Amino acid sequence: MDLPWLGHAFTTRLGGISEGPFATLNLGYTVGDVPERVLANRRLLAAALGYDPARTVAGRQVHGEKVAVVTMREAGAGAFGPETALDATDGLTTGEVGLALLAFFADCVPVLLADTVKRVVAVVHAGWRGTAREIVRRALEVMAANLQVVPARCVAAIGPAIGPCCYEVDEPVAAAFRPWGEKVVWRRGNKWRVDLWEANRQTLIAAGVPPERIAVIRLCTCCHPELFFSYRRDGVKTGRMAGVIFRR
Ligand SMILES: [Zn+2]
């Protein structure tokens, strides 16, 4: 599908200036990296994609299900430091031209959404809690209620995240995914495996997004240390990739 009005990306760890465990394109302010380097990396990304680094919005992600509708009034929130990020927000949506929505990841699932008729865009941070709470459905509901979005007109992309190859979980997490069935959660030895990509895909379909309009990148962040930061693989001292989407 050719959508020249739509700018979007999932980043890798390549192409930035951060060092050590944050090498090189760390985009998260809250992980212990030098703030000036994070800002420089944010500027590199903005220049590469063609948006103004000051006209971005980011939320303080809490594995909740709040999806905020934002406009140019919120431009700059979370852009130059974590203090100004929108409080307790794991999803962002807008219809504004030139306002880039950012969310940050190191194993959690980034989901991008766009209504190709209304030209409304969204980014969603879906960890296991957000995925189990169907935050992507919540995003579509907020977009529909506030911005006249119709799920059937939406395209979606599910980005790099920890895959079922590496996402071994205990019973309490597995139990949260039982409603999705055996394509999403299955037993391996005395542990469980969960496919967060598939859970989000199924939730999008159930919410009305046509399956042929959903792209699943199917790249595991934990399996690819050369490409991605991974919380499960590297622990707390690692960087953050971004999912970004905006109207040109
Ligand atoms: Zn893997």
Side-chain angles (χ1 to χ4, degrees):
M1 198 178 305
D2 191 24
L3 301 169
W5 59 272
L6 181 65
H8 67 289
F10 298 114
T11 67
T12 69
R13 67 186 300 169
L14 304 176
I17 65 156
S18 291
E19 297 175 356
F22 311 114
T24 57
L25 193 67
N26 169 45
L27 296 164
Y29 283 116
T30 59
V31 292
D33 194 1
V34 180
E36 290 74 19
R37 290 184 188 152
V38 178
L39 180 56
N41 289 336
R42 297 259 191 121
R43 291 189 193 281
L44 287 168
L45 179 63
L49 295 175
Y51 62 83
D52 180 346
R55 290 188 169 181
T56 62
V57 180
R60 192 172 63 80
Q61 299 167 190
V62 293
H63 298 279
E65 55 206 304
K66 182 179 166 192
V67 178
V69 180
V70 296
T71 67
M72 278 299 172
R73 281 196 303 277
E74 284 84 22
F80 302 106
E83 315 78 26
T84 57
L86 301 185
D87 194 37
T89 302
D90 285 85
L92 298 161
T93 183
T94 193
E96 294 257 13
V97 174
L99 185 64
L101 309 180
L102 280 86
F104 304 100
F105 307 87
D107 288 346
C108 291
V109 185
V111 182
L112 303 179
L113 296 164
D115 183 319
T116 57
V117 175
K118 275 286 172 186
R119 300 194 174 182
V120 168
V121 298
V123 63
V124 176
H125 167 255
W128 78 261
R129 288 184 182 84
T131 300
R133 290 174 184 168
E134 302 194 316
I135 186 172
V136 289
R137 178 194 298 277
R138 179 75 194 133
L140 288 163
E141 288 169 357
V142 169
M143 294 162 82
N146 296 278
L147 299 165
Q148 294 81 50
V149 162
V150 176
R153 297 191 307 229
C154 286
V155 288
I158 297 171
I162 193 163
C165 42
C166 296
Y167 197 46
E168 187 177 84
V169 300
D170 294 321
E171 171 59 26
V173 177
F177 290 96
R178 295 266 150 66
W180 279 265
E182 292 179 350
K183 275 189 82 178
V184 166
V185 57
W186 61 91
R187 184 181 279 280
R188 176 86 66 91
N190 56 6
K191 295 275 194 171
W192 298 87
R193 295 297 172 111
V194 169
D195 187 338
L196 296 174
W197 304 327
E198 178 63 15
N200 282 288
R201 195 185 75 92
Q202 287 190 17
T203 302
L204 288 169
I205 293 168
V209 181
E212 67 275 13
R213 292 169 75 94
I214 303 171
V216 186
I217 309 301
R218 304 198 72 82
L219 278 173
C220 172
T221 44
C222 192
C223 279
H224 296 282
E226 74 289 1
L227 276 181
F228 302 119
F229 303 114
S230 168
Y231 184 88
R232 174 155 297 207
R233 187 190 64 227
D234 301 331
V236 290
K237 225 171 156 54
T238 192
R240 292 290 181 275
M241 285 92 60
V244 54
I245 192 163
F246 61 102
R247 280 182 71 169
R248 293 189 191 283

